[in-house]
Amino acid sequence: MMQASSRCSSGSRSVPARPSRPASVSVRCTIQEARPASTSAGAPALNGAAAAAPGAAAAAAVPPITLPRGAVPNRPILEVPDWENQYRRHTASARHGAGTPGSLSRLRLFSGTSNPTLATEVAHYLGLELGKIKCKRFADGEIYVQVQESIRGCDVFLIQPTCPPVNDHLMELLITIDACRRASARSITAVIPYYGYARADRKVQGRESIAAKLTANLITEAGADRVLAIDLHSGQCVGYFDIPVDHVYGETVILDYLASKRIATGDLVVVSPDVGGVARARAFAKKLNDAPLAIVDKRRSAHNVSEVMNLIGDVKGKVAVLVDDMIDTAGTITNAAKVLQKEGAREVYACATHAVFSPPAVERLSSGVFQEVIVTNTIPVPPENVFPQLTILSVANLLGETIWRVYNAASVQALRD
């Protein structure tokens, strides 16, 4: 609220002016002086002034003054001419302004530092501007976040994938959620296109942590009211949250792109690179006119190390589409592609939502075993990781439509159906 630059004086005493109304409302600050009233002899005058001397009342016939209700004698009084009509016009202008539709008046969109390009595309889809937020790091690496606009009573959506460096981006997300909660946001939705630590979703060996559950607890305790994620590593990650989770699938964007290639249905086979991704590959194949399904039997000897053992299904002379949720070091999907080529596949396409691309992923993917590698921009791909076979699709429209449906309490499942 704007501060008045003038001061109101009463005698020799200076009194600061109170904060003014919005700029469209003019405010005038005056002093109501005590005046003697027409009273009978000995009667007290208005505002506690001394009684008029006998016979002087007729000579100084001053009409009595009536102070507004609640006014304090000898204190500044805010006189706002026509304030009621001005307030109505100001409220109507804010509600039906040309820049912001009334239905979006409480929707606020903010971006962290992990993927600002995606957040900007989502804002363009919604017809909004990204909210102003300040994020910096101190010399020792601590993160400082400040929301630089009022979000009191607003529905806030924070877009921040927890991509590498995972710990920094996760901590930034938690601090930003806390800042919005302390700024009195009505609701906070953490939009996490890529959910880090999702692979630690169960105990395979003794004395292991379930980091996916721990991360969910941190996000909840920070103050998030809802989570919106794309292609979680496994379905049980949804159950780790004690708040609502809207789980959307990036396969919609990839399927549209594959449809544009007009591959004959009889020539297509969908392949799961491991047994754990069978459900994902089956759902993908169903959307491709119930294309046949093949499975690569994989054994993993250590983290980020895999060895292909067997192939289940027929791929000879067909176009094989490998489907996975993420590509990290690309060891699993590259070994699967080599087996498919060995079994007679005509072409091999790799499709994944999250392009983590940890070394030596780029070398493996660009080695010539793939006709094309199709990913989305849930994680930003730096220029040094771009190679000729790579195609990056945007999920901005999918995220924007999901945010719009969440904000308006509409069905999100209808996007997949």
Side-chain angles (χ1 to χ4, degrees):
M1 186 173 291
M2 300 178 59
Q3 298 290 335
S5 58
S6 61
R7 302 176 67 88
C8 304
S9 59
S10 175
S12 61
R13 179 181 177 183
S14 178
V15 181
R18 298 186 182 183
S20 64
R21 303 284 183 183
S24 59
V25 180
S26 59
V27 179
R28 185 171 68 255
C29 183
T30 60
I31 295 294
Q32 296 287 355
E33 300 291 346
R35 298 180 184 178
S38 300
T39 57
S40 57
L46 185 65
N47 293 340
V62 179
I65 183 172
T66 303
L67 288 176
R69 183 178 179 180
V72 180
N74 296 325
R75 293 290 180 87
I77 298 176
L78 294 179
E79 296 180 354
V80 185
D82 197 29
W83 69 270
E84 292 174 322
N85 293 331
Q86 294 187 50
Y87 176 77
R88 292 190 186 99
R89 289 193 296 269
H90 177 75
T91 305
S93 174
R95 186 182 299 115
H96 303 292
T100 303
S103 57
L104 295 177
S105 58
R106 290 187 177 272
L107 175 59
R108 294 292 186 273
L109 199 65
F110 291 92
S111 171
T113 61
S114 61
N115 200 344
T117 302
L118 175 60
T120 302
E121 294 178 4
V122 173
H124 288 171
Y125 177 86
L126 293 171
L128 298 173
E129 293 184 359
L130 289 175
K132 297 178 181 179
I133 190 169
K134 181 180 181 181
C135 181
K136 68 176 184 179
R137 281 170 171 78
F138 293 105
D140 61 351
E142 292 182 2
I143 300 173
Y144 171 83
V145 173
Q146 180 189 28
V147 181
Q148 296 187 307
E149 63 182 60
S150 175
I151 57 172
R152 186 179 298 273
C154 295
D155 296 310
V156 174
F157 290 81
L158 301 174
I159 301 178
Q160 174 80 341
T162 54
C163 51
V166 180
N167 296 335
D168 289 348
H169 290 153
L170 175 61
M171 197 64 196
E172 180 184 330
L173 173 64
L174 299 177
I175 295 175
T176 306
I177 292 173
D178 181 74
C180 292
R181 179 174 62 88
R182 297 180 186 278
S184 301
R186 184 171 68 171
S187 67
I188 303 172
T189 300
V191 182
I192 312 175
Y194 171 70
Y195 180 60
Y197 287 107
R199 283 173 285 187
D201 57 355
R202 64 192 185 280
K203 290 188 67 174
V204 180
Q205 302 175 9
R207 300 181 294 277
E208 284 185 333
S209 69
I210 304 179
K213 171 61 177 172
L214 173 62
T215 305
N217 289 342
L218 291 173
I219 294 173
T220 304
E221 290 299 320
D225 299 293
R226 180 181 293 271
V227 168
L228 197 164
I230 297 181
D231 276 346
L232 295 171
H233 185 65
S234 58
Q236 61 260 34
C237 289
V238 175
Y240 292 158
F241 289 89
D242 296 326
I243 55 179
V245 177
D246 291 299
H247 186 199
V248 296
Y249 299 88
E251 66 180 21
T252 306
V253 178
I254 299 175
L255 284 168
D256 289 343
Y257 178 75
L258 285 177
S260 67
K261 291 186 169 297
R262 300 186 180 276
I263 303 173
T265 304
D267 294 340
L268 191 64
V269 57
V270 177
V271 184
S272 173
D274 53 19
V275 177
V278 172
R280 183 185 303 108
R282 184 184 296 116
F284 196 90
K286 185 178 180 181
K287 297 294 181 64
L288 290 174
N289 297 323
D290 284 328
L293 182 66
I295 304 170
V296 176
D297 181 24
K298 178 192 70 174
R299 297 291 185 270
R300 187 179 291 278
S301 58
H303 293 298
N304 296 123
V305 178
S306 64
E307 180 183 356
V308 174
M309 303 297 292
N310 197 10
L311 174 66
I312 305 171
D314 182 23
V315 298
K316 188 174 182 179
K318 296 185 177 181
V319 177
V321 179
L322 279 162
V323 179
D324 209 346
D325 64 317
M326 72 173 69
I327 299 177
D328 190 359
T329 60
T332 297
I333 203 165
T334 302
N335 290 337
K338 291 178 180 179
V339 171
L340 294 175
Q341 286 184 338
K342 184 180 179 180
E343 294 295 328
R346 189 170 79 244
E347 294 178 349
V348 179
Y349 288 82
C351 299
T353 304
H354 309 300
V356 181
F357 287 176
S358 301
V362 175
E363 289 78 5
R364 289 171 173 173
L365 295 173
S366 60
S367 61
V369 295
F370 296 101
Q371 181 75 17
E372 191 173 0
V373 178
I374 306 168
V375 298
T376 69
N377 63 342
T378 56
I379 297 176
V381 180
E384 59 269 19
N385 286 346
V386 176
F387 50 94
Q389 295 88 355
L390 182 64
T391 299
I392 303 174
L393 306 177
S394 178
V395 294
N397 290 0
L398 176 63
L399 269 180
E401 181 64 25
T402 306
I403 290 173
W404 172 258
R405 288 172 180 262
V406 170
Y407 176 70
N408 288 279
S411 174
V412 174
Q413 180 63 26
L415 290 174
R416 196 181 189 195
D417 297 339

